[in-house]
Amino acid sequence: MFPFCFTYANTCRKQTDAHTHTHRARSRVMEAIWLYQFRLIVIGDSTVGKSCLIRRFTEGRFAQVSDPTVGVDFFSRLVEIEPGKRIKLQIWDTAGQERFRSITRAYYRNSVGGLLLFDITNRRSFQNVHDWLEEARSHVQPHSIVFLLVGHKCDLEPQRQVSRQEAEKLAGAYGMRYVETSARDAINVEHAFTELTRDIFALVRSGDITIQEGWEGVKSGFVPNVVHSSEEVTKSDRRCLC
Amino acid sequence: MSDGEDSCTAATEGSTSPPGTPDMSLPVAMDTSTDVAPTRRARRRAESQPEIEETPKQQQQQQQQQEEKGEEPGQASSQSSQSSVAHTGWGYWGSWGKSILSTATATVATVGQGLTQVMEKAETSLGIPSPTELSAQLEEEHRQDVVMDGSNEADTADDLSAVGGAMGMLSSLSSVVQSTGKTVISGGLDALEFIGKKTMDVIAEGDPGFKKTKGLMSRNATLSQVLREAKEREQLQTTESDASEKKTVAHYGVMFDDFQGLSHLEALEILSRESEAKVRSVLTTLSGDELLQLRDELDFIKDSFALVEFDDEDVDEKKDEDGSEFEKEFMEAVEGLSVSATAHKLMTACRSACTNVSITNQRKEEEESERTTHSVEEVHAAAIRSLAELTARSIELFHKVAETTLFSGGCTEASVLSQLTVLLCKELSLLSKRFTSCLTAAGANEKADVLNPLITGVFLEASNSASYIQDAFLLLLPILQISHIKRNAEASQQ
């Protein structure tokens, strides 16, 4: 069932195996190793800064000007949640504009987690949080999704329209964590993604979230023998098989 | 979709060679290569002083080569036409690529299996001349001219005419040959033509229903799933080989994913499946004339998804070196699609691929003075990376076309998309040719069993890339259909 290109590439490698091994190739390979891949979706009203937050996280820079997202865009990055334990995050950046809603709905299903953004300087975007949550929850069925509520643009303190207390209260009511971030000043960006990843990882470890055939939310990665001794890897592999 | 296809696929799988074959045939390839390399070096050294004793052996080789190509030995006309095929090139390979392309229905999985076997066969058991062997032969032919210019009158008339035929071709080239190493390049191309022809033959043998094999959409496993699994397998193998301190080769699948090609493909599949379901449900609500009319309209859209014949032969390697011509045609094609940002990304990918080619070429020319030449692995990696990036961007483009068509309700012309598909496939084919030329040049001193798999690897990934793009193109059909239905509904409401 596999395209020949890959099988063929392997043949190539076998034939060149005898030749010297370069260090560069090795380090590149090392980077590609992860325990799991989590798919995250980022939602929220348009112009709250979803794409900017993701770009800050994946590319380490802040774009002063950016075009509105059409449909969905993709980003990925590795996160080290504990020394030697890497998780690959595949991030689906959805369009916030209402006119894309019918398309973006289709993309929810295969996500294990999500960041729900609102703009702390835009009260309206905060009021819509409830609708976003409903929308997401109804479209990820039968799977569940772990959300993190993000109050974005916290560098704009003077224009704040949503207090931290009320945001925390809302997050608590829906069983979410709350984090305030700024893509421009790089505040809490790393923290937001890592926290969410840790939460999901804990759920995967405890067996509350399982890897399922035909669901892309959580994927098991490949681990070299040296790291393979870690318990949760072998445990989850076994679970995956049955 | 139907039982007939399933049995056809099963037949293909059944008729492929037993799994033992590849391993058994591997040593054969090694033998040929060890044979070739030393002889070649010996010949190099002899360059200054013509070796007359060697001539009969060369002629024998030539004859063998001719017999392999199924031509009458010793005829001047056939010899020269053969040479011109070799140099203007790509005759066989071109038609192979074309067949694959016009059979857009070829499934990745089934064809893939056939081809793995084909490759092994083509490279080993079929006794294909290796690129190095061929280039050596070309050099031989060239040197023979020199011999002929001397006072070697002892040759038979047959040989005279045979060599004479080749001479016209070669002498016109000889000035270029020595300065840029073109002999080596055309040698590599010969081998590829050969592979292409054999590949086509074996495919036809192994799968009589090849042309009827249905496309991606009728299969249960989606393309992105198949690719993802393959990528995971690659990663596993990469990991394993890393653990055992082995060297790795550029992986198309991993790079394709790095450029988010898999994600765009998956998203496109989601939209395509949803639209397909919507079209079906609309059809069930209609009856009588309304149903017939809509069916006709949908079939019309479907018909326009038939691919334009893609003639690989007019893809000229030398033409459009900086990709500006492709750029112009491409920008014209995407103009009305409102996907300018993605189109720009694709253009950038294409430009960087062209730059990669020229960089590798440049280094090759400097090789004489400095030893800063690129290794074949580096050129191979650059080639695979460029192919993966361009393919990923093409699929991203089709995904964005799907999204804009769905939300704007605009009328996207199938003919424009089909034109775009052909354009992208041509560009991929062109790129793969340029990169393999670089590869052949960079690997002039490599053994055949190192160089050959890399060259064929590039060509196979290019042909795969073309298949992915065509599959992505076909995924757009239900999207255009549902968009058409929506437009109809809006028009009738007004």
Side-chain angles (χ1 to χ4, degrees), chain A residues 4-6 8 10 13 15 20-21 26 39 70 72 74 76 88 99-100 107 222, chain B residues 26 112 116 123 230 232 234 237 245-246 260 266 399-400 403 407 453 456 461 464:
Chain A
F4 62 88
C5 52
F6 306 111
Y8 187 69
N10 297 332
R13 195 176 58 234
Q15 290 178 353
T20 52
H21 170 271
R26 185 188 154 84
R39 184 172 298 170
V70 175
V72 66
F74 308 100
S76 54
K88 184 181 178 183
R99 61 192 182 128
F100 293 113
Y107 299 136
F222 292 108
Chain B
L26 258 174
T116 320
E123 274 193 26
E232 278 159 13
E234 262 179 42
Q237 270 147 355
E245 293 290 312
K246 294 274 172 72
Q260 307 295 350
E266 192 190 327
H399 173 218
K400 290 295 155 194
E403 286 181 336
F407 90 79
T456 42
E461 299 302 13
N464 274 334

mmCIF file of all heavy atoms in Angstrom, chain A residues 4-6 8 10 13 15 20-21 26 39 70 72 74 76 88 99-100 107 222, chain B residues 26 112 116 123 230 232 234 237 245-246 260 266 399-400 403 407 453 456 461 464:
data_model
loop_
_atom_site.group_PDB
_atom_site.id
_atom_site.type_symbol
_atom_site.label_atom_id
_atom_site.label_comp_id
_atom_site.label_asym_id
_atom_site.label_seq_id
_atom_site.Cartn_x
_atom_site.Cartn_y
_atom_site.Cartn_z
ATOM 1 N N PHE A 4 5.838 3.775 -4.124
ATOM 2 C CA PHE A 4 7.143 3.182 -4.329
ATOM 3 C C PHE A 4 8.280 4.128 -3.999
ATOM 4 O O PHE A 4 9.356 3.717 -3.703
ATOM 5 C CB PHE A 4 7.286 2.705 -5.766
ATOM 6 C CG PHE A 4 7.190 3.830 -6.752
ATOM 7 C CD1 PHE A 4 8.318 4.532 -7.098
ATOM 8 C CD2 PHE A 4 5.973 4.171 -7.298
ATOM 9 C CE1 PHE A 4 8.229 5.562 -7.998
ATOM 10 C CE2 PHE A 4 5.891 5.205 -8.188
ATOM 11 C CZ PHE A 4 7.022 5.899 -8.534
ATOM 12 N N CYS A 5 7.983 5.421 -4.045
ATOM 13 C CA CYS A 5 9.060 6.369 -3.857
ATOM 14 C C CYS A 5 9.777 6.119 -2.547
ATOM 15 O O CYS A 5 10.983 6.170 -2.465
ATOM 16 C CB CYS A 5 8.529 7.794 -3.874
ATOM 17 S SG CYS A 5 7.181 8.037 -2.750
ATOM 18 N N PHE A 6 9.013 5.792 -1.550
ATOM 19 C CA PHE A 6 9.610 5.656 -0.230
ATOM 20 C C PHE A 6 10.366 4.343 -0.135
ATOM 21 O O PHE A 6 11.463 4.297 0.356
ATOM 22 C CB PHE A 6 8.524 5.754 0.817
ATOM 23 C CG PHE A 6 7.719 6.998 0.647
ATOM 24 C CD1 PHE A 6 6.408 6.961 0.237
ATOM 25 C CD2 PHE A 6 8.324 8.228 0.834
ATOM 26 C CE1 PHE A 6 5.704 8.115 0.064
ATOM 27 C CE2 PHE A 6 7.626 9.391 0.651
ATOM 28 C CZ PHE A 6 6.305 9.334 0.264
ATOM 29 N N TYR A 8 11.618 2.925 -2.491
ATOM 30 C CA TYR A 8 12.782 3.084 -3.322
ATOM 31 C C TYR A 8 13.870 3.877 -2.613
ATOM 32 O O TYR A 8 15.031 3.524 -2.658
ATOM 33 C CB TYR A 8 12.421 3.759 -4.641
ATOM 34 C CG TYR A 8 13.599 3.759 -5.547
ATOM 35 C CD1 TYR A 8 14.059 2.576 -6.096
ATOM 36 C CD2 TYR A 8 14.295 4.930 -5.770
ATOM 37 C CE1 TYR A 8 15.178 2.566 -6.875
ATOM 38 C CE2 TYR A 8 15.413 4.936 -6.553
ATOM 39 C CZ TYR A 8 15.855 3.755 -7.113
ATOM 40 O OH TYR A 8 16.974 3.752 -7.869
ATOM 41 N N ASN A 10 14.514 3.884 0.336
ATOM 42 C CA ASN A 10 15.180 3.020 1.289
ATOM 43 C C ASN A 10 16.238 2.175 0.608
ATOM 44 O O ASN A 10 17.301 1.945 1.159
ATOM 45 C CB ASN A 10 14.179 2.113 1.968
ATOM 46 C CG ASN A 10 13.189 2.930 2.758
ATOM 47 O OD1 ASN A 10 13.533 4.024 3.203
ATOM 48 N ND2 ASN A 10 11.988 2.445 2.905
ATOM 49 N N ARG A 13 19.237 4.127 0.286
ATOM 50 C CA ARG A 13 20.018 4.289 1.490
ATOM 51 C C ARG A 13 20.831 3.044 1.763
ATOM 52 O O ARG A 13 21.971 3.116 2.135
ATOM 53 C CB ARG A 13 19.131 4.627 2.672
ATOM 54 C CG ARG A 13 19.975 5.151 3.818
ATOM 55 C CD ARG A 13 19.157 5.593 4.999
ATOM 56 N NE ARG A 13 18.348 4.541 5.487
ATOM 57 C CZ ARG A 13 17.054 4.629 5.657
ATOM 58 N NH1 ARG A 13 16.435 5.729 5.350
ATOM 59 N NH2 ARG A 13 16.365 3.628 6.106
ATOM 60 N N GLN A 15 22.080 1.134 -0.220
ATOM 61 C CA GLN A 15 23.237 1.041 -1.087
ATOM 62 C C GLN A 15 24.324 2.026 -0.713
ATOM 63 O O GLN A 15 25.486 1.798 -0.995
ATOM 64 C CB GLN A 15 22.811 1.252 -2.536
ATOM 65 C CG GLN A 15 21.998 0.069 -3.004
ATOM 66 C CD GLN A 15 21.505 0.257 -4.412
ATOM 67 O OE1 GLN A 15 21.662 1.311 -4.983
ATOM 68 N NE2 GLN A 15 20.896 -0.755 -4.959
ATOM 69 N N THR A 20 30.653 6.929 4.288
ATOM 70 C CA THR A 20 30.848 7.614 5.565
ATOM 71 C C THR A 20 29.597 8.316 6.049
ATOM 72 O O THR A 20 28.734 8.712 5.286
ATOM 73 C CB THR A 20 31.966 8.673 5.430
ATOM 74 O OG1 THR A 20 31.641 9.483 4.322
ATOM 75 C CG2 THR A 20 33.306 8.003 5.273
ATOM 76 N N HIS A 21 29.536 8.457 7.321
ATOM 77 C CA HIS A 21 28.375 9.035 7.964
ATOM 78 C C HIS A 21 28.693 10.483 8.310
ATOM 79 O O HIS A 21 29.731 10.784 8.897
ATOM 80 C CB HIS A 21 28.113 8.219 9.224
ATOM 81 C CG HIS A 21 27.105 8.850 10.110
ATOM 82 N ND1 HIS A 21 27.443 9.753 11.069
ATOM 83 C CD2 HIS A 21 25.767 8.702 10.171
ATOM 84 C CE1 HIS A 21 26.344 10.141 11.698
ATOM 85 N NE2 HIS A 21 25.330 9.530 11.177
ATOM 86 N N ARG A 26 23.115 13.454 10.880
ATOM 87 C CA ARG A 26 22.693 12.872 12.129
ATOM 88 C C ARG A 26 21.911 13.878 12.969
ATOM 89 O O ARG A 26 20.838 13.594 13.476
ATOM 90 C CB ARG A 26 23.905 12.382 12.901
ATOM 91 C CG ARG A 26 23.566 11.655 14.145
ATOM 92 C CD ARG A 26 24.834 11.384 14.952
ATOM 93 N NE ARG A 26 24.509 11.250 16.353
ATOM 94 C CZ ARG A 26 24.094 10.114 16.885
ATOM 95 N NH1 ARG A 26 23.940 9.054 16.153
ATOM 96 N NH2 ARG A 26 23.796 10.056 18.169
ATOM 97 N N ARG A 39 -2.217 17.604 17.318
ATOM 98 C CA ARG A 39 -2.746 18.624 16.419
ATOM 99 C C ARG A 39 -3.557 19.629 17.214
ATOM 100 O O ARG A 39 -4.482 19.263 17.933
ATOM 101 C CB ARG A 39 -3.608 18.020 15.321
ATOM 102 C CG ARG A 39 -4.066 19.098 14.358
ATOM 103 C CD ARG A 39 -4.752 18.571 13.160
ATOM 104 N NE ARG A 39 -3.861 17.723 12.377
ATOM 105 C CZ ARG A 39 -4.274 16.974 11.376
ATOM 106 N NH1 ARG A 39 -5.545 16.975 11.041
ATOM 107 N NH2 ARG A 39 -3.437 16.218 10.710
ATOM 108 N N VAL A 70 -6.909 33.005 5.012
ATOM 109 C CA VAL A 70 -7.973 32.442 4.175
ATOM 110 C C VAL A 70 -8.120 30.973 4.573
ATOM 111 O O VAL A 70 -7.135 30.242 4.530
ATOM 112 C CB VAL A 70 -7.600 32.532 2.683
ATOM 113 C CG1 VAL A 70 -8.641 31.850 1.809
ATOM 114 C CG2 VAL A 70 -7.406 33.969 2.263
ATOM 115 N N VAL A 72 -7.584 27.971 6.162
ATOM 116 C CA VAL A 72 -6.698 27.505 7.222
ATOM 117 C C VAL A 72 -5.250 27.517 6.735
ATOM 118 O O VAL A 72 -4.993 27.354 5.546
ATOM 119 C CB VAL A 72 -7.112 26.079 7.679
ATOM 120 C CG1 VAL A 72 -6.905 25.044 6.599
ATOM 121 C CG2 VAL A 72 -6.375 25.654 8.947
ATOM 122 N N PHE A 74 -1.051 26.310 8.036
ATOM 123 C CA PHE A 74 -0.421 25.295 8.884
ATOM 124 C C PHE A 74 0.961 25.698 9.350
ATOM 125 O O PHE A 74 1.724 26.286 8.602
ATOM 126 C CB PHE A 74 -0.327 23.976 8.118
ATOM 127 C CG PHE A 74 -1.625 23.553 7.527
ATOM 128 C CD1 PHE A 74 -1.897 23.771 6.192
ATOM 129 C CD2 PHE A 74 -2.586 22.968 8.321
ATOM 130 C CE1 PHE A 74 -3.110 23.404 5.643
ATOM 131 C CE2 PHE A 74 -3.806 22.600 7.788
ATOM 132 C CZ PHE A 74 -4.071 22.823 6.440
ATOM 133 N N SER A 76 4.185 24.181 12.228
ATOM 134 C CA SER A 76 4.550 23.116 13.160
ATOM 135 C C SER A 76 5.828 23.460 13.907
ATOM 136 O O SER A 76 6.655 24.248 13.431
ATOM 137 C CB SER A 76 4.696 21.786 12.427
ATOM 138 O OG SER A 76 5.596 21.918 11.368
ATOM 139 N N LYS A 88 5.733 16.981 18.865
ATOM 140 C CA LYS A 88 5.582 17.803 17.667
ATOM 141 C C LYS A 88 4.183 18.396 17.661
ATOM 142 O O LYS A 88 3.194 17.661 17.755
ATOM 143 C CB LYS A 88 5.807 16.976 16.412
ATOM 144 C CG LYS A 88 5.748 17.836 15.160
ATOM 145 C CD LYS A 88 5.938 17.041 13.899
ATOM 146 C CE LYS A 88 5.814 17.947 12.689
ATOM 147 N NZ LYS A 88 5.926 17.213 11.432
ATOM 148 N N ARG A 99 -17.179 34.912 7.165
ATOM 149 C CA ARG A 99 -17.448 34.344 5.842
ATOM 150 C C ARG A 99 -16.727 33.021 5.603
ATOM 151 O O ARG A 99 -17.082 32.265 4.712
ATOM 152 C CB ARG A 99 -17.120 35.353 4.742
ATOM 153 C CG ARG A 99 -15.664 35.771 4.727
ATOM 154 C CD ARG A 99 -15.457 36.976 3.827
ATOM 155 N NE ARG A 99 -14.039 37.325 3.790
ATOM 156 C CZ ARG A 99 -13.348 37.478 2.681
ATOM 157 N NH1 ARG A 99 -13.921 37.309 1.516
ATOM 158 N NH2 ARG A 99 -12.082 37.811 2.732
ATOM 159 N N PHE A 100 -15.685 32.735 6.402
ATOM 160 C CA PHE A 100 -14.974 31.474 6.223
ATOM 161 C C PHE A 100 -15.517 30.379 7.136
ATOM 162 O O PHE A 100 -15.051 29.246 7.088
ATOM 163 C CB PHE A 100 -13.478 31.642 6.517
ATOM 164 C CG PHE A 100 -12.764 32.514 5.537
ATOM 165 C CD1 PHE A 100 -12.256 33.741 5.920
ATOM 166 C CD2 PHE A 100 -12.593 32.096 4.225
ATOM 167 C CE1 PHE A 100 -11.581 34.549 5.011
ATOM 168 C CE2 PHE A 100 -11.924 32.897 3.314
ATOM 169 C CZ PHE A 100 -11.423 34.122 3.708
ATOM 170 N N TYR A 107 -12.639 21.684 9.685
ATOM 171 C CA TYR A 107 -11.278 21.365 10.108
ATOM 172 C C TYR A 107 -11.152 21.008 11.595
ATOM 173 O O TYR A 107 -10.090 20.617 12.046
ATOM 174 C CB TYR A 107 -10.347 22.545 9.811
ATOM 175 C CG TYR A 107 -10.244 22.911 8.338
ATOM 176 C CD1 TYR A 107 -10.286 24.238 7.935
ATOM 177 C CD2 TYR A 107 -10.088 21.927 7.364
ATOM 178 C CE1 TYR A 107 -10.172 24.588 6.590
ATOM 179 C CE2 TYR A 107 -9.974 22.270 6.026
ATOM 180 C CZ TYR A 107 -10.019 23.607 5.638
ATOM 181 O OH TYR A 107 -9.902 23.944 4.320
ATOM 182 N N PHE A 222 8.167 8.240 16.469
ATOM 183 C CA PHE A 222 9.124 7.138 16.500
ATOM 184 C C PHE A 222 10.314 7.537 17.356
ATOM 185 O O PHE A 222 10.823 8.636 17.251
ATOM 186 C CB PHE A 222 9.580 6.795 15.097
ATOM 187 C CG PHE A 222 8.477 6.203 14.299
ATOM 188 C CD1 PHE A 222 7.883 6.921 13.286
ATOM 189 C CD2 PHE A 222 8.012 4.939 14.602
ATOM 190 C CE1 PHE A 222 6.850 6.372 12.564
ATOM 191 C CE2 PHE A 222 6.990 4.393 13.883
ATOM 192 C CZ PHE A 222 6.400 5.106 12.860
ATOM 193 N N LEU B 26 20.451 -7.591 -6.470
ATOM 194 C CA LEU B 26 21.373 -6.536 -6.041
ATOM 195 C C LEU B 26 22.831 -6.810 -6.408
ATOM 196 O O LEU B 26 23.488 -5.943 -6.972
ATOM 197 C CB LEU B 26 21.253 -6.320 -4.530
ATOM 198 C CG LEU B 26 20.443 -5.086 -4.138
ATOM 199 C CD1 LEU B 26 20.256 -5.049 -2.640
ATOM 200 C CD2 LEU B 26 21.133 -3.832 -4.622
ATOM 201 N N GLY B 112 2.870 2.336 -7.600
ATOM 202 C CA GLY B 112 4.059 2.333 -6.771
ATOM 203 C C GLY B 112 4.648 0.960 -6.640
ATOM 204 O O GLY B 112 5.836 0.754 -6.860
ATOM 205 N N THR B 116 8.419 -0.177 -8.003
ATOM 206 C CA THR B 116 9.538 -0.594 -7.167
ATOM 207 C C THR B 116 10.221 -1.754 -7.837
ATOM 208 O O THR B 116 11.432 -1.804 -7.986
ATOM 209 C CB THR B 116 9.035 -1.053 -5.799
ATOM 210 O OG1 THR B 116 8.021 -0.188 -5.392
ATOM 211 C CG2 THR B 116 10.166 -1.103 -4.809
ATOM 212 N N GLU B 123 17.234 -1.750 -13.242
ATOM 213 C CA GLU B 123 18.611 -1.450 -12.910
ATOM 214 C C GLU B 123 19.503 -2.670 -12.902
ATOM 215 O O GLU B 123 20.694 -2.562 -13.043
ATOM 216 C CB GLU B 123 18.670 -0.772 -11.546
ATOM 217 C CG GLU B 123 18.480 0.700 -11.674
ATOM 218 C CD GLU B 123 18.838 1.403 -10.410
ATOM 219 O OE1 GLU B 123 19.652 0.863 -9.643
ATOM 220 O OE2 GLU B 123 18.299 2.475 -10.188
ATOM 221 N N ALA B 230 3.493 6.352 4.822
ATOM 222 C CA ALA B 230 4.791 6.161 4.194
ATOM 223 C C ALA B 230 5.840 7.019 4.886
ATOM 224 O O ALA B 230 6.956 6.584 5.128
ATOM 225 C CB ALA B 230 4.725 6.508 2.725
ATOM 226 N N GLU B 232 5.781 8.062 7.947
ATOM 227 C CA GLU B 232 6.071 7.502 9.261
ATOM 228 C C GLU B 232 7.031 6.328 9.149
ATOM 229 O O GLU B 232 7.938 6.170 9.955
ATOM 230 C CB GLU B 232 4.773 7.072 9.947
ATOM 231 C CG GLU B 232 4.080 8.259 10.601
ATOM 232 C CD GLU B 232 2.609 8.028 10.833
ATOM 233 O OE1 GLU B 232 2.169 6.864 10.713
ATOM 234 O OE2 GLU B 232 1.904 9.004 11.140
ATOM 235 N N GLU B 234 9.196 5.969 6.830
ATOM 236 C CA GLU B 234 10.500 6.539 6.533
ATOM 237 C C GLU B 234 11.185 7.011 7.792
ATOM 238 O O GLU B 234 12.362 6.765 8.007
ATOM 239 C CB GLU B 234 10.327 7.789 5.660
ATOM 240 C CG GLU B 234 10.525 7.539 4.213
ATOM 241 C CD GLU B 234 10.313 8.818 3.450
ATOM 242 O OE1 GLU B 234 10.768 9.876 3.891
ATOM 243 O OE2 GLU B 234 9.673 8.754 2.393
ATOM 244 N N GLN B 237 12.559 4.285 9.776
ATOM 245 C CA GLN B 237 13.789 3.761 9.208
ATOM 246 C C GLN B 237 14.948 4.723 9.416
ATOM 247 O O GLN B 237 16.061 4.311 9.691
ATOM 248 C CB GLN B 237 13.603 3.450 7.723
ATOM 249 C CG GLN B 237 13.127 2.030 7.539
ATOM 250 C CD GLN B 237 12.212 1.882 6.344
ATOM 251 O OE1 GLN B 237 11.853 2.859 5.702
ATOM 252 N NE2 GLN B 237 11.835 0.661 6.058
ATOM 253 N N GLU B 245 24.181 4.192 13.526
ATOM 254 C CA GLU B 245 25.254 4.992 12.935
ATOM 255 C C GLU B 245 25.328 4.852 11.421
ATOM 256 O O GLU B 245 26.408 4.724 10.853
ATOM 257 C CB GLU B 245 26.605 4.625 13.568
ATOM 258 C CG GLU B 245 26.739 5.013 15.029
ATOM 259 C CD GLU B 245 26.822 6.523 15.235
ATOM 260 O OE1 GLU B 245 27.618 7.160 14.530
ATOM 261 O OE2 GLU B 245 26.078 7.044 16.068
ATOM 262 N N LYS B 246 24.185 4.865 10.787
ATOM 263 C CA LYS B 246 24.202 4.742 9.335
ATOM 264 C C LYS B 246 23.907 6.096 8.698
ATOM 265 O O LYS B 246 23.326 6.985 9.311
ATOM 266 C CB LYS B 246 23.153 3.705 8.891
ATOM 267 C CG LYS B 246 23.465 2.294 9.336
ATOM 268 C CD LYS B 246 24.391 1.610 8.339
ATOM 269 C CE LYS B 246 24.866 0.261 8.859
ATOM 270 N NZ LYS B 246 23.811 -0.742 8.852
ATOM 271 N N GLN B 260 4.534 21.477 4.800
ATOM 272 C CA GLN B 260 3.096 21.422 5.093
ATOM 273 C C GLN B 260 2.276 20.883 3.927
ATOM 274 O O GLN B 260 1.068 21.092 3.858
ATOM 275 C CB GLN B 260 2.547 22.802 5.520
ATOM 276 C CG GLN B 260 3.309 23.460 6.662
ATOM 277 C CD GLN B 260 3.224 22.699 7.975
ATOM 278 O OE1 GLN B 260 2.450 21.756 8.109
ATOM 279 N NE2 GLN B 260 4.044 23.071 8.933
ATOM 280 N N GLU B 266 -4.476 17.054 3.265
ATOM 281 C CA GLU B 266 -5.517 16.536 4.146
ATOM 282 C C GLU B 266 -6.705 17.495 4.200
ATOM 283 O O GLU B 266 -7.863 17.072 4.102
ATOM 284 C CB GLU B 266 -4.954 16.318 5.546
ATOM 285 C CG GLU B 266 -5.903 15.520 6.430
ATOM 286 C CD GLU B 266 -5.454 15.502 7.881
ATOM 287 O OE1 GLU B 266 -4.245 15.521 8.134
ATOM 288 O OE2 GLU B 266 -6.345 15.479 8.751
ATOM 289 N N HIS B 399 -5.440 23.731 -2.607
ATOM 290 C CA HIS B 399 -6.233 23.818 -1.383
ATOM 291 C C HIS B 399 -6.843 25.212 -1.237
ATOM 292 O O HIS B 399 -8.020 25.363 -0.918
ATOM 293 C CB HIS B 399 -5.341 23.463 -0.175
ATOM 294 C CG HIS B 399 -5.987 23.687 1.139
ATOM 295 N ND1 HIS B 399 -5.320 24.163 2.235
ATOM 296 C CD2 HIS B 399 -7.274 23.499 1.551
ATOM 297 C CE1 HIS B 399 -6.156 24.268 3.251
ATOM 298 N NE2 HIS B 399 -7.345 23.876 2.860
ATOM 299 N N LYS B 400 -6.029 26.222 -1.527
ATOM 300 C CA LYS B 400 -6.530 27.595 -1.415
ATOM 301 C C LYS B 400 -7.575 27.893 -2.493
ATOM 302 O O LYS B 400 -8.538 28.620 -2.237
ATOM 303 C CB LYS B 400 -5.367 28.596 -1.514
ATOM 304 C CG LYS B 400 -4.442 28.583 -0.311
ATOM 305 C CD LYS B 400 -5.157 29.051 0.945
ATOM 306 C CE LYS B 400 -4.480 28.481 2.191
ATOM 307 N NZ LYS B 400 -5.270 28.604 3.402
ATOM 308 N N GLU B 403 -10.738 26.540 -1.144
ATOM 309 C CA GLU B 403 -11.320 27.380 -0.098
ATOM 310 C C GLU B 403 -11.961 28.633 -0.677
ATOM 311 O O GLU B 403 -13.096 28.976 -0.318
ATOM 312 C CB GLU B 403 -10.247 27.757 0.927
ATOM 313 C CG GLU B 403 -9.879 26.593 1.837
ATOM 314 C CD GLU B 403 -8.832 26.948 2.877
ATOM 315 O OE1 GLU B 403 -8.061 27.906 2.656
ATOM 316 O OE2 GLU B 403 -8.783 26.268 3.902
ATOM 317 N N PHE B 407 -15.981 29.619 -0.445
ATOM 318 C CA PHE B 407 -16.558 30.726 0.330
ATOM 319 C C PHE B 407 -17.030 31.875 -0.547
ATOM 320 O O PHE B 407 -18.016 32.534 -0.240
ATOM 321 C CB PHE B 407 -15.608 31.189 1.447
ATOM 322 C CG PHE B 407 -14.642 32.266 1.053
ATOM 323 C CD1 PHE B 407 -15.066 33.599 0.988
ATOM 324 C CD2 PHE B 407 -13.323 31.974 0.777
ATOM 325 C CE1 PHE B 407 -14.177 34.592 0.631
ATOM 326 C CE2 PHE B 407 -12.444 32.971 0.414
ATOM 327 C CZ PHE B 407 -12.865 34.279 0.338
ATOM 328 N N PRO B 453 21.060 4.931 -8.352
ATOM 329 C CA PRO B 453 19.861 5.031 -7.518
ATOM 330 C C PRO B 453 19.494 6.476 -7.231
ATOM 331 O O PRO B 453 18.311 6.809 -7.149
ATOM 332 C CB PRO B 453 20.256 4.327 -6.226
ATOM 333 C CG PRO B 453 21.422 3.502 -6.559
ATOM 334 C CD PRO B 453 22.129 4.178 -7.677
ATOM 335 N N THR B 456 17.821 7.877 -10.543
ATOM 336 C CA THR B 456 16.475 7.327 -10.739
ATOM 337 C C THR B 456 15.565 7.793 -9.619
ATOM 338 O O THR B 456 14.379 8.031 -9.846
ATOM 339 C CB THR B 456 16.505 5.802 -10.794
ATOM 340 O OG1 THR B 456 17.386 5.321 -9.803
ATOM 341 C CG2 THR B 456 16.964 5.311 -12.149
ATOM 342 N N GLU B 461 10.745 10.546 -7.915
ATOM 343 C CA GLU B 461 10.064 11.506 -7.060
ATOM 344 C C GLU B 461 9.384 12.576 -7.906
ATOM 345 O O GLU B 461 8.324 13.069 -7.559
ATOM 346 C CB GLU B 461 11.035 12.165 -6.070
ATOM 347 C CG GLU B 461 11.723 11.223 -5.112
ATOM 348 C CD GLU B 461 10.802 10.400 -4.242
ATOM 349 O OE1 GLU B 461 9.587 10.354 -4.505
ATOM 350 O OE2 GLU B 461 11.301 9.763 -3.299
ATOM 351 N N ASN B 464 6.298 11.017 -9.133
ATOM 352 C CA ASN B 464 5.365 10.972 -8.006
ATOM 353 C C ASN B 464 4.750 12.333 -7.756
ATOM 354 O O ASN B 464 3.548 12.451 -7.553
ATOM 355 C CB ASN B 464 6.100 10.578 -6.728
ATOM 356 C CG ASN B 464 6.180 9.095 -6.579
ATOM 357 O OD1 ASN B 464 5.333 8.391 -7.112
ATOM 358 N ND2 ASN B 464 7.179 8.628 -5.884
#
